[in-house]
């Protein structure tokens, strides 16, 4: 099916991020039944910027992209 990349904020300080790449089927199974606040479509500069700022406001975020 492919892979899903997640970008996770660690605290409110800028620059404290971790990136993980996981098989898509595992991630989709873990999201079953959960509600996300934000879905960012596209991993270009604007999409990644939006995905980086959303967690600062306490929003759970999913990035959907072809490649990162």
């Amino acid at each position: 099916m492919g892979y899903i990349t997640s970008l996770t904020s660690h605290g409110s300080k800028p620059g404290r991020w971790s990136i993980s790449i996981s098989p898509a089927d595992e991630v989709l199974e873990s999201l079953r039944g959960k509600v996300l606040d934000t879905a960012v479509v596209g991993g270009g500069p604007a999409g990644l910027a939006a995905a980086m700022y959303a967690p600062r406001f306490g929003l759970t975020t999913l990035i959907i992209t072809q490649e990162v």
Side-chain angles (χ1 to χ4, degrees):
M1 176 181 266
Y3 294 90
I4 292 181
T5 303
S6 64
L7 182 65
T8 307
S9 171
H10 297 284
S12 59
K13 295 183 180 179
R16 303 211 18 119
W17 301 93
S18 66
I19 297 174
S20 64
I21 301 174
S22 307
D25 54 349
E26 290 178 15
V27 174
L28 293 175
E29 184 63 33
S30 72
L31 291 174
R32 186 181 305 271
K34 293 185 180 178
V35 176
L36 297 171
D37 297 314
T38 309
V40 176
V41 179
L48 290 178
M52 288 173 55
Y53 278 95
R56 292 183 186 180
F57 297 99
L59 302 173
T60 56
T61 306
L62 174 68
I63 304 170
I64 303 169
T65 184
Q66 291 179 344
E67 295 181 27
V68 175

